[in-house]
Amino acid sequence: MANPKVIDLAALTAFKTLQDIANAATFVRKDGDKVLSTNDFTDAQKNSLAELTANFGGHTFATDEQVNSMLAEVFGS
């Protein structure tokens, strides 16, 4: 005997409503005739981003050995 599938329209409606609410929070309307290939960054902005990327904005990062050493000191080995 075949098992008929039941569609719960109320549940689907509630799900769609919740999805619409979630999507509305992140949806950004297209800005006029702009397309993805436009170049909105100036050379100065690009150079500033490149500099930040190159030196991590003046921040240094711990090595794996330093992190493991600190964890061993705090939590024991």
Side-chain angles (χ1 to χ4, degrees), residues 50-69:
E51 182 181 333
L52 282 174
T53 303
N55 65 16
F56 302 111
H59 297 283
T60 58
F61 294 93
T63 64
D64 288 343
E65 293 80 21
Q66 291 170 323
V67 171
N68 290 334
S69 173

Side-chain angles (χ1 to χ4, degrees), residues 13-75:
T13 302
F15 177 77
K16 169 110 175 50
T17 301
L18 292 173
Q19 285 294 325
D20 289 345
I21 292 169
N23 290 336
T26 59
F27 176 75
V28 177
R29 187 166 301 284
K30 183 178 175 184
D31 183 15
D33 293 331
K34 279 189 169 182
V35 292
L36 293 176
S37 62
T38 61
N39 184 359
D40 292 339
F41 289 107
T42 65
D43 287 337
Q45 290 171 323
K46 289 178 186 177
N47 292 337
S48 176
L49 289 173
E51 182 181 333
L52 282 174
T53 303
N55 65 16
F56 302 111
H59 297 283
T60 58
F61 294 93
T63 64
D64 288 343
E65 293 80 21
Q66 291 170 323
V67 171
N68 290 334
S69 173
M70 183 276 306
L71 290 173
E73 181 180 333
V74 172
F75 295 109

